Amino acid sequence: MKFWTVQPAQVLNEIVNDGVYYPDFRRSTYLSAIPALADIYELFLNSFNLINNISPDEKMGQGLIFAFSQTAFDNRIGKLVQINDINDFHEVIVSKKAAIQSLWGELGQNLDQKLILEVELDQEFLNPLLIDINDFQFLMPPISFPAPYQEADVNRITTAIRTGDFPRPIFPSGLMQAHLPYLKKADVVNAYHMFALE
């Protein structure tokens, strides 16, 4: 399955030089810029490690790579729909502008120093803790309750994360956030310049 992730250029350099990149939230520039995200990052990391039987050591299990995919629902069951190439990815992101504009703006700071990595990863060995981008942004502090979200949705979504479930989102965007434990050189199909949303 293909996933797409926005990363600083130095991440690709590390993959090329070391053969693998292990994310570490302690080094996250995004998290250091927005420290209020620490609790939600910890929720995802702890849940991911537990569900995927990862015992954190000095490299593995210290962070996650946030990636994009898309989904469709059939009889209330969500399934991933592959984004095949950079043109499709660009089209998906632009078409989901309303859902992702704020996040994309944060990711796109220092645009010339960021890359979009096309990743081909056999996900059968892991549960990537899929979450609709609207649900993820709903959980970002400070939590508010824009319609149709209600207070009960906090517990519903966090319970799904802790158990590795992927329920139908209450306000689906179709754009999914997936979580990966590392990037190996063989996993990275290509790298592209980051683009801004018009």
Side-chain angles (χ1 to χ4, degrees), residues 133-194:
I133 202 71
N134 281 341
D135 283 356
F136 181 79
Q137 292 189 102
F138 164 65
L139 291 180
M140 291 176 70
I143 294 178
S144 60
F145 302 98
Y149 289 102
Q150 300 175 15
E151 193 169 340
D153 290 313
V154 175
N155 186 56
R156 177 184 62 82
I157 296 169
T158 56
T159 298
I161 294 165
R162 288 188 181 99
T163 57
D165 292 331
F166 173 40
R168 185 180 185 115
I170 192 170
F171 186 49
S173 70
L175 185 63
M176 303 305 298
Q177 182 169 286
H179 306 85
L180 311 175
Y182 54 74
L183 287 177
K184 292 183 177 177
K185 194 172 182 179
D187 301 330
V188 180
V189 177
N190 216 328
Y192 307 91
H193 294 294
M194 180 63 170

Short mmCIF file of all heavy atoms in Angstrom, two decimals, residues 133-194:
data_model
loop_
_atom_site.label_atom_id
_atom_site.label_comp_id
_atom_site.label_asym_id
_atom_site.label_seq_id
_atom_site.Cartn_x
_atom_site.Cartn_y
_atom_site.Cartn_z
N ILE A 133 -8.85 12.64 8.89
CA ILE A 133 -8.16 13.89 9.24
C ILE A 133 -9.07 14.82 10.02
O ILE A 133 -8.61 15.56 10.90
CB ILE A 133 -7.57 14.56 7.97
CG1 ILE A 133 -6.44 15.51 8.35
CG2 ILE A 133 -8.64 15.24 7.15
CD1 ILE A 133 -5.19 14.84 8.82
N ASN A 134 -10.38 14.79 9.77
CA ASN A 134 -11.29 15.63 10.55
C ASN A 134 -11.33 15.18 12.01
O ASN A 134 -11.36 16.01 12.93
CB ASN A 134 -12.70 15.60 9.96
CG ASN A 134 -12.85 16.51 8.75
OD1 ASN A 134 -12.06 17.42 8.54
ND2 ASN A 134 -13.85 16.24 7.94
N ASP A 135 -11.34 13.86 12.24
CA ASP A 135 -11.34 13.36 13.61
C ASP A 135 -10.04 13.71 14.33
O ASP A 135 -10.05 14.07 15.51
CB ASP A 135 -11.56 11.84 13.64
CG ASP A 135 -13.01 11.45 13.41
OD1 ASP A 135 -13.87 12.34 13.30
OD2 ASP A 135 -13.28 10.23 13.33
N PHE A 136 -8.92 13.61 13.61
CA PHE A 136 -7.64 13.95 14.23
C PHE A 136 -7.62 15.42 14.62
O PHE A 136 -7.22 15.79 15.74
CB PHE A 136 -6.47 13.64 13.29
CG PHE A 136 -5.13 13.96 13.89
CD1 PHE A 136 -4.54 13.11 14.80
CD2 PHE A 136 -4.47 15.13 13.56
CE1 PHE A 136 -3.32 13.41 15.38
CE2 PHE A 136 -3.25 15.44 14.12
CZ PHE A 136 -2.67 14.58 15.04
N GLN A 137 -8.05 16.28 13.71
CA GLN A 137 -8.03 17.71 14.00
C GLN A 137 -9.03 18.07 15.10
O GLN A 137 -8.79 19.00 15.87
CB GLN A 137 -8.27 18.51 12.72
CG GLN A 137 -7.09 18.37 11.76
CD GLN A 137 -7.16 19.28 10.57
OE1 GLN A 137 -6.48 20.30 10.55
NE2 GLN A 137 -7.97 18.93 9.59
N PHE A 138 -10.11 17.33 15.19
CA PHE A 138 -11.06 17.53 16.28
C PHE A 138 -10.39 17.28 17.63
O PHE A 138 -10.64 17.99 18.61
CB PHE A 138 -12.26 16.59 16.10
CG PHE A 138 -13.11 16.41 17.32
CD1 PHE A 138 -13.83 17.47 17.86
CD2 PHE A 138 -13.19 15.17 17.95
CE1 PHE A 138 -14.61 17.30 19.00
CE2 PHE A 138 -13.97 14.99 19.08
CZ PHE A 138 -14.69 16.06 19.62
N LEU A 139 -9.50 16.28 17.70
CA LEU A 139 -8.82 15.95 18.96
C LEU A 139 -7.69 16.92 19.31
O LEU A 139 -7.19 16.89 20.43
CB LEU A 139 -8.24 14.54 18.90
CG LEU A 139 -9.23 13.38 18.88
CD1 LEU A 139 -8.48 12.06 18.82
CD2 LEU A 139 -10.15 13.41 20.10
N MET A 140 -7.27 17.74 18.35
CA MET A 140 -6.16 18.66 18.62
C MET A 140 -6.62 19.74 19.60
O MET A 140 -7.69 20.33 19.43
CB MET A 140 -5.66 19.29 17.32
CG MET A 140 -4.96 18.29 16.41
SD MET A 140 -4.48 19.01 14.81
CE MET A 140 -3.15 20.10 15.32
N PRO A 141 -5.81 19.97 20.63
CA PRO A 141 -6.20 20.98 21.63
C PRO A 141 -6.11 22.39 21.07
O PRO A 141 -5.30 22.64 20.18
CB PRO A 141 -5.19 20.75 22.75
CG PRO A 141 -4.03 20.06 22.11
CD PRO A 141 -4.57 19.29 20.94
N PRO A 142 -6.91 23.28 21.58
CA PRO A 142 -7.98 23.03 22.57
C PRO A 142 -9.19 22.42 21.88
O PRO A 142 -9.63 22.88 20.83
CB PRO A 142 -8.30 24.43 23.10
CG PRO A 142 -7.96 25.35 21.95
CD PRO A 142 -6.81 24.70 21.23
N ILE A 143 -9.72 21.34 22.46
CA ILE A 143 -10.85 20.65 21.86
C ILE A 143 -12.10 21.52 21.96
O ILE A 143 -12.43 22.02 23.03
CB ILE A 143 -11.09 19.28 22.53
CG1 ILE A 143 -9.90 18.35 22.25
CG2 ILE A 143 -12.38 18.65 22.02
CD1 ILE A 143 -10.01 17.00 22.92
N SER A 144 -12.74 21.70 20.82
CA SER A 144 -14.04 22.37 20.80
C SER A 144 -15.02 21.41 20.13
O SER A 144 -14.63 20.33 19.69
CB SER A 144 -13.94 23.70 20.04
OG SER A 144 -13.53 23.48 18.71
N PHE A 145 -16.26 21.79 20.03
CA PHE A 145 -17.28 20.87 19.55
C PHE A 145 -18.09 21.46 18.41
O PHE A 145 -19.29 21.71 18.54
CB PHE A 145 -18.19 20.43 20.71
CG PHE A 145 -17.40 19.78 21.82
CD1 PHE A 145 -17.03 20.52 22.94
CD2 PHE A 145 -17.02 18.46 21.73
CE1 PHE A 145 -16.29 19.94 23.95
CE2 PHE A 145 -16.28 17.86 22.74
CZ PHE A 145 -15.91 18.59 23.84
N PRO A 146 -17.41 21.66 17.24
CA PRO A 146 -18.19 22.13 16.10
C PRO A 146 -19.13 21.03 15.63
O PRO A 146 -18.78 19.85 15.66
CB PRO A 146 -17.11 22.43 15.04
CG PRO A 146 -15.99 21.50 15.41
CD PRO A 146 -16.02 21.38 16.90
N ALA A 147 -20.32 21.40 15.21
CA ALA A 147 -21.28 20.40 14.71
C ALA A 147 -20.63 19.64 13.55
O ALA A 147 -19.93 20.24 12.74
CB ALA A 147 -22.56 21.10 14.27
N PRO A 148 -20.81 18.33 13.48
CA PRO A 148 -21.69 17.49 14.27
C PRO A 148 -21.03 16.83 15.48
O PRO A 148 -21.58 15.91 16.06
CB PRO A 148 -22.10 16.41 13.25
CG PRO A 148 -20.87 16.24 12.43
CD PRO A 148 -20.25 17.61 12.33
N TYR A 149 -19.83 17.27 15.86
CA TYR A 149 -19.12 16.65 16.99
C TYR A 149 -19.79 17.00 18.31
O TYR A 149 -20.30 18.10 18.50
CB TYR A 149 -17.66 17.08 17.02
CG TYR A 149 -16.84 16.48 15.91
CD1 TYR A 149 -16.51 17.22 14.77
CD2 TYR A 149 -16.39 15.17 15.98
CE1 TYR A 149 -15.76 16.67 13.75
CE2 TYR A 149 -15.63 14.60 14.97
CZ TYR A 149 -15.32 15.36 13.85
OH TYR A 149 -14.58 14.81 12.84
N GLN A 150 -19.74 16.02 19.22
CA GLN A 150 -20.26 16.21 20.57
C GLN A 150 -19.21 15.73 21.57
O GLN A 150 -18.23 15.08 21.20
CB GLN A 150 -21.56 15.42 20.75
CG GLN A 150 -22.65 15.83 19.79
CD GLN A 150 -23.89 14.96 19.92
OE1 GLN A 150 -24.04 14.23 20.88
NE2 GLN A 150 -24.78 15.05 18.94
N GLU A 151 -19.44 16.02 22.83
CA GLU A 151 -18.47 15.66 23.87
C GLU A 151 -18.19 14.15 23.89
O GLU A 151 -17.06 13.72 24.09
CB GLU A 151 -18.98 16.12 25.23
CG GLU A 151 -17.93 16.08 26.31
CD GLU A 151 -18.39 16.78 27.58
OE1 GLU A 151 -19.32 17.60 27.52
OE2 GLU A 151 -17.79 16.49 28.63
N ALA A 152 -19.21 13.34 23.64
CA ALA A 152 -19.05 11.87 23.65
C ALA A 152 -18.09 11.39 22.57
O ALA A 152 -17.52 10.30 22.68
CB ALA A 152 -20.40 11.20 23.49
N ASP A 153 -17.88 12.19 21.53
CA ASP A 153 -17.00 11.77 20.44
C ASP A 153 -15.53 11.72 20.87
O ASP A 153 -14.74 10.99 20.27
CB ASP A 153 -17.16 12.70 19.23
CG ASP A 153 -18.51 12.51 18.55
OD1 ASP A 153 -18.89 11.35 18.31
OD2 ASP A 153 -19.18 13.53 18.28
N VAL A 154 -15.17 12.48 21.88
CA VAL A 154 -13.78 12.41 22.38
C VAL A 154 -13.49 10.99 22.85
O VAL A 154 -12.49 10.38 22.44
CB VAL A 154 -13.54 13.42 23.52
CG1 VAL A 154 -12.14 13.24 24.10
CG2 VAL A 154 -13.74 14.85 23.03
N ASN A 155 -14.37 10.44 23.68
CA ASN A 155 -14.17 9.09 24.19
C ASN A 155 -14.29 8.05 23.08
O ASN A 155 -13.52 7.08 23.03
CB ASN A 155 -15.18 8.79 25.30
CG ASN A 155 -14.92 7.45 25.96
OD1 ASN A 155 -13.84 7.21 26.47
ND2 ASN A 155 -15.91 6.58 25.94
N ARG A 156 -15.24 8.24 22.17
CA ARG A 156 -15.43 7.30 21.06
C ARG A 156 -14.17 7.19 20.22
O ARG A 156 -13.70 6.10 19.90
CB ARG A 156 -16.62 7.74 20.20
CG ARG A 156 -16.86 6.86 18.97
CD ARG A 156 -17.99 7.42 18.10
NE ARG A 156 -17.70 8.74 17.55
CZ ARG A 156 -16.96 8.94 16.47
NH1 ARG A 156 -16.43 7.92 15.81
NH2 ARG A 156 -16.77 10.17 16.02
N ILE A 157 -13.58 8.33 19.86
CA ILE A 157 -12.42 8.34 18.98
C ILE A 157 -11.17 7.84 19.72
O ILE A 157 -10.40 7.04 19.18
CB ILE A 157 -12.20 9.74 18.38
CG1 ILE A 157 -13.39 10.13 17.49
CG2 ILE A 157 -10.91 9.77 17.56
CD1 ILE A 157 -13.39 11.58 17.08
N THR A 158 -10.95 8.30 20.95
CA THR A 158 -9.76 7.87 21.68
C THR A 158 -9.82 6.37 22.00
O THR A 158 -8.79 5.70 22.00
CB THR A 158 -9.54 8.69 22.96
OG1 THR A 158 -10.71 8.63 23.79
CG2 THR A 158 -9.22 10.15 22.62
N THR A 159 -11.02 5.85 22.27
CA THR A 159 -11.16 4.41 22.50
C THR A 159 -10.81 3.63 21.23
O THR A 159 -10.12 2.60 21.29
CB THR A 159 -12.59 4.06 22.96
OG1 THR A 159 -12.84 4.71 24.20
CG2 THR A 159 -12.77 2.56 23.12
N ALA A 160 -11.24 4.13 20.08
CA ALA A 160 -10.90 3.49 18.81
C ALA A 160 -9.40 3.49 18.59
O ALA A 160 -8.82 2.50 18.12
CB ALA A 160 -11.62 4.19 17.66
N ILE A 161 -8.73 4.57 18.93
CA ILE A 161 -7.28 4.64 18.78
C ILE A 161 -6.61 3.61 19.69
O ILE A 161 -5.73 2.86 19.26
CB ILE A 161 -6.77 6.07 19.11
CG1 ILE A 161 -7.28 7.06 18.07
CG2 ILE A 161 -5.24 6.09 19.18
CD1 ILE A 161 -7.15 8.51 18.49
N ARG A 162 -7.04 3.55 20.94
CA ARG A 162 -6.41 2.63 21.90
C ARG A 162 -6.61 1.17 21.51
O ARG A 162 -5.80 0.31 21.86
CB ARG A 162 -6.98 2.87 23.30
CG ARG A 162 -6.51 4.15 23.94
CD ARG A 162 -6.94 4.25 25.40
NE ARG A 162 -6.48 5.50 25.97
CZ ARG A 162 -7.24 6.59 26.12
NH1 ARG A 162 -8.52 6.55 25.76
NH2 ARG A 162 -6.74 7.68 26.64
N THR A 163 -7.70 0.86 20.81
CA THR A 163 -7.98 -0.53 20.44
C THR A 163 -7.61 -0.84 18.99
O THR A 163 -7.75 -1.98 18.54
CB THR A 163 -9.47 -0.85 20.65
OG1 THR A 163 -10.27 0.07 19.89
CG2 THR A 163 -9.84 -0.76 22.12
N GLY A 164 -7.13 0.16 18.27
CA GLY A 164 -6.71 -0.05 16.89
C GLY A 164 -7.86 -0.21 15.91
O GLY A 164 -7.68 -0.72 14.81
N ASP A 165 -9.04 0.24 16.31
CA ASP A 165 -10.20 0.16 15.43
C ASP A 165 -10.26 1.37 14.50
O ASP A 165 -9.63 2.39 14.76
CB ASP A 165 -11.50 0.10 16.25
CG ASP A 165 -11.63 -1.20 17.03
OD1 ASP A 165 -11.08 -2.22 16.56
OD2 ASP A 165 -12.26 -1.20 18.09
N PHE A 166 -11.06 1.23 13.47
CA PHE A 166 -11.23 2.31 12.51
C PHE A 166 -12.72 2.47 12.23
O PHE A 166 -13.25 1.95 11.26
CB PHE A 166 -10.45 1.98 11.23
CG PHE A 166 -10.70 2.94 10.09
CD1 PHE A 166 -10.81 4.30 10.32
CD2 PHE A 166 -10.80 2.48 8.80
CE1 PHE A 166 -11.05 5.18 9.28
CE2 PHE A 166 -11.03 3.34 7.75
CZ PHE A 166 -11.15 4.69 7.99
N PRO A 167 -13.42 3.17 13.14
CA PRO A 167 -14.86 3.33 12.94
C PRO A 167 -15.15 4.38 11.88
O PRO A 167 -14.31 5.22 11.56
CB PRO A 167 -15.34 3.80 14.31
CG PRO A 167 -14.17 4.57 14.83
CD PRO A 167 -12.94 3.86 14.32
N ARG A 168 -16.35 4.34 11.35
CA ARG A 168 -16.76 5.36 10.39
C ARG A 168 -16.75 6.72 11.07
O ARG A 168 -17.35 6.90 12.13
CB ARG A 168 -18.15 5.05 9.87
CG ARG A 168 -18.58 6.00 8.77
CD ARG A 168 -19.98 5.68 8.27
NE ARG A 168 -20.30 6.53 7.13
CZ ARG A 168 -20.48 6.09 5.91
NH1 ARG A 168 -20.40 4.81 5.65
NH2 ARG A 168 -20.75 6.93 4.94
N PRO A 169 -16.04 7.68 10.50
CA PRO A 169 -16.01 9.01 11.12
C PRO A 169 -17.38 9.68 11.08
O PRO A 169 -18.17 9.44 10.16
CB PRO A 169 -15.00 9.78 10.29
CG PRO A 169 -14.66 8.94 9.13
CD PRO A 169 -15.24 7.59 9.30
N ILE A 170 -17.64 10.52 12.05
CA ILE A 170 -18.91 11.21 12.12
C ILE A 170 -19.02 12.29 11.04
O ILE A 170 -20.09 12.62 10.56
CB ILE A 170 -19.12 11.81 13.53
CG1 ILE A 170 -20.56 12.26 13.71
CG2 ILE A 170 -18.16 12.92 13.82
CD1 ILE A 170 -20.91 12.63 15.13
N PHE A 171 -17.88 12.83 10.64
CA PHE A 171 -17.83 13.89 9.63
C PHE A 171 -16.68 13.57 8.68
O PHE A 171 -15.63 14.18 8.71
CB PHE A 171 -17.63 15.24 10.33
CG PHE A 171 -17.70 16.44 9.42
CD1 PHE A 171 -18.73 16.59 8.52
CD2 PHE A 171 -16.72 17.42 9.49
CE1 PHE A 171 -18.80 17.71 7.69
CE2 PHE A 171 -16.77 18.54 8.67
CZ PHE A 171 -17.81 18.68 7.77
N PRO A 172 -16.86 12.54 7.82
CA PRO A 172 -15.74 12.03 7.02
C PRO A 172 -15.25 13.00 5.96
O PRO A 172 -16.03 13.59 5.23
CB PRO A 172 -16.31 10.76 6.38
CG PRO A 172 -17.79 10.95 6.40
CD PRO A 172 -18.10 11.81 7.59
N SER A 173 -13.94 13.15 5.91
CA SER A 173 -13.32 13.95 4.86
C SER A 173 -12.87 13.07 3.70
O SER A 173 -12.69 13.55 2.60
CB SER A 173 -12.10 14.70 5.41
OG SER A 173 -11.05 13.78 5.68
N GLY A 174 -12.66 11.78 3.99
CA GLY A 174 -12.11 10.87 2.98
C GLY A 174 -10.60 10.88 2.95
O GLY A 174 -9.97 10.06 2.29
N LEU A 175 -9.99 11.83 3.67
CA LEU A 175 -8.53 11.90 3.76
C LEU A 175 -8.11 11.29 5.09
O LEU A 175 -8.58 11.69 6.14
CB LEU A 175 -8.06 13.35 3.66
CG LEU A 175 -6.55 13.58 3.63
CD1 LEU A 175 -5.94 12.94 2.38
CD2 LEU A 175 -6.25 15.07 3.65
N MET A 176 -7.26 10.29 5.01
CA MET A 176 -6.88 9.55 6.21
C MET A 176 -5.48 9.90 6.65
O MET A 176 -4.60 10.18 5.84
CB MET A 176 -6.93 8.04 5.93
CG MET A 176 -8.28 7.55 5.44
SD MET A 176 -9.61 8.00 6.55
CE MET A 176 -9.11 7.12 8.02
N GLN A 177 -5.29 9.84 7.96
CA GLN A 177 -3.96 9.91 8.53
C GLN A 177 -3.59 8.50 8.97
O GLN A 177 -4.37 7.83 9.64
CB GLN A 177 -3.92 10.87 9.72
CG GLN A 177 -2.54 11.01 10.33
CD GLN A 177 -2.52 12.15 11.32
OE1 GLN A 177 -2.54 13.31 10.93
NE2 GLN A 177 -2.49 11.82 12.58
N ALA A 178 -2.43 8.05 8.54
CA ALA A 178 -1.89 6.75 8.94
C ALA A 178 -0.60 7.00 9.70
O ALA A 178 -0.01 8.09 9.62
CB ALA A 178 -1.63 5.88 7.71
N HIS A 179 -0.15 6.00 10.43
CA HIS A 179 1.04 6.14 11.27
C HIS A 179 1.99 4.99 11.00
O HIS A 179 1.58 3.83 10.98
CB HIS A 179 0.61 6.17 12.75
CG HIS A 179 -0.42 7.23 13.00
ND1 HIS A 179 -1.76 7.00 12.79
CD2 HIS A 179 -0.29 8.52 13.37
CE1 HIS A 179 -2.43 8.13 13.04
NE2 HIS A 179 -1.56 9.06 13.40
N LEU A 180 3.24 5.32 10.76
CA LEU A 180 4.26 4.34 10.40
C LEU A 180 5.40 4.39 11.40
O LEU A 180 5.75 5.47 11.89
CB LEU A 180 4.78 4.61 8.99
CG LEU A 180 3.71 4.82 7.90
CD1 LEU A 180 4.36 5.20 6.57
CD2 LEU A 180 2.84 3.59 7.75
N PRO A 181 6.02 3.25 11.71
CA PRO A 181 7.05 3.22 12.76
C PRO A 181 8.44 3.62 12.29
O PRO A 181 9.29 3.97 13.11
CB PRO A 181 7.05 1.76 13.21
CG PRO A 181 6.62 1.00 11.98
CD PRO A 181 5.65 1.90 11.25
N TYR A 182 8.69 3.56 10.99
CA TYR A 182 10.01 3.89 10.44
C TYR A 182 9.88 3.99 8.93
O TYR A 182 8.85 3.63 8.35
CB TYR A 182 11.05 2.83 10.79
CG TYR A 182 10.64 1.42 10.40
CD1 TYR A 182 10.64 1.00 9.07
CD2 TYR A 182 10.23 0.51 11.37
CE1 TYR A 182 10.23 -0.27 8.71
CE2 TYR A 182 9.81 -0.77 11.02
CZ TYR A 182 9.82 -1.15 9.68
OH TYR A 182 9.42 -2.41 9.32
N LEU A 183 10.93 4.47 8.29
CA LEU A 183 11.02 4.45 6.84
C LEU A 183 12.36 3.85 6.46
O LEU A 183 13.41 4.38 6.83
CB LEU A 183 10.93 5.87 6.27
CG LEU A 183 9.57 6.55 6.28
CD1 LEU A 183 9.67 7.96 5.74
CD2 LEU A 183 8.55 5.74 5.47
N LYS A 184 12.32 2.75 5.74
CA LYS A 184 13.54 2.15 5.22
C LYS A 184 13.77 2.66 3.80
O LYS A 184 12.84 3.06 3.11
CB LYS A 184 13.42 0.63 5.23
CG LYS A 184 13.40 0.03 6.62
CD LYS A 184 13.36 -1.48 6.56
CE LYS A 184 13.41 -2.06 7.98
NZ LYS A 184 13.30 -3.54 7.98
N LYS A 185 15.02 2.61 3.40
CA LYS A 185 15.38 3.09 2.07
C LYS A 185 14.54 2.41 0.99
O LYS A 185 14.08 3.04 0.04
CB LYS A 185 16.87 2.85 1.84
CG LYS A 185 17.47 3.58 0.66
CD LYS A 185 18.98 3.41 0.67
CE LYS A 185 19.63 4.17 -0.47
NZ LYS A 185 21.09 4.02 -0.46
N ALA A 186 14.32 1.11 1.14
CA ALA A 186 13.56 0.35 0.15
C ALA A 186 12.09 0.75 0.12
O ALA A 186 11.39 0.47 -0.86
CB ALA A 186 13.69 -1.15 0.43
N ASP A 187 11.60 1.40 1.19
CA ASP A 187 10.19 1.81 1.26
C ASP A 187 9.91 3.09 0.50
O ASP A 187 8.77 3.37 0.15
CB ASP A 187 9.76 2.02 2.72
CG ASP A 187 9.93 0.78 3.58
OD1 ASP A 187 9.83 -0.33 3.04
OD2 ASP A 187 10.17 0.95 4.80
N VAL A 188 10.93 3.91 0.30
CA VAL A 188 10.74 5.23 -0.32
C VAL A 188 10.85 5.10 -1.83
O VAL A 188 11.92 4.84 -2.38
CB VAL A 188 11.76 6.25 0.23
CG1 VAL A 188 11.54 7.61 -0.43
CG2 VAL A 188 11.62 6.37 1.75
N VAL A 189 9.72 5.28 -2.50
CA VAL A 189 9.66 5.12 -3.95
C VAL A 189 10.20 6.36 -4.65
O VAL A 189 10.91 6.27 -5.64
CB VAL A 189 8.20 4.86 -4.39
CG1 VAL A 189 8.08 4.77 -5.91
CG2 VAL A 189 7.68 3.58 -3.74
N ASN A 190 9.83 7.54 -4.12
CA ASN A 190 10.24 8.78 -4.77
C ASN A 190 10.07 9.93 -3.79
O ASN A 190 9.41 9.79 -2.75
CB ASN A 190 9.41 9.04 -6.02
CG ASN A 190 10.22 9.69 -7.13
OD1 ASN A 190 11.14 10.46 -6.86
ND2 ASN A 190 9.88 9.38 -8.37
N ALA A 191 10.68 11.06 -4.13
CA ALA A 191 10.57 12.28 -3.33
C ALA A 191 10.21 13.43 -4.26
O ALA A 191 10.69 13.50 -5.40
CB ALA A 191 11.87 12.56 -2.60
N TYR A 192 9.34 14.31 -3.77
CA TYR A 192 8.84 15.42 -4.58
C TYR A 192 8.90 16.71 -3.78
O TYR A 192 8.88 16.68 -2.54
CB TYR A 192 7.39 15.17 -4.99
CG TYR A 192 7.17 13.84 -5.67
CD1 TYR A 192 6.82 12.71 -4.92
CD2 TYR A 192 7.30 13.70 -7.05
CE1 TYR A 192 6.62 11.48 -5.54
CE2 TYR A 192 7.10 12.47 -7.67
CZ TYR A 192 6.76 11.36 -6.90
OH TYR A 192 6.56 10.16 -7.50
N HIS A 193 8.95 17.82 -4.50
CA HIS A 193 8.92 19.12 -3.83
C HIS A 193 7.57 19.33 -3.17
O HIS A 193 6.53 18.94 -3.70
CB HIS A 193 9.21 20.25 -4.82
CG HIS A 193 10.59 20.24 -5.38
ND1 HIS A 193 11.69 20.46 -4.61
CD2 HIS A 193 11.03 20.00 -6.64
CE1 HIS A 193 12.78 20.38 -5.36
NE2 HIS A 193 12.40 20.10 -6.59
N MET A 194 7.59 19.95 -2.01
CA MET A 194 6.36 20.30 -1.32
C MET A 194 5.65 21.39 -2.12
O MET A 194 6.28 22.24 -2.76
CB MET A 194 6.71 20.82 0.07
CG MET A 194 5.55 21.22 0.94
SD MET A 194 4.46 19.85 1.33
CE MET A 194 3.41 20.60 2.57
#
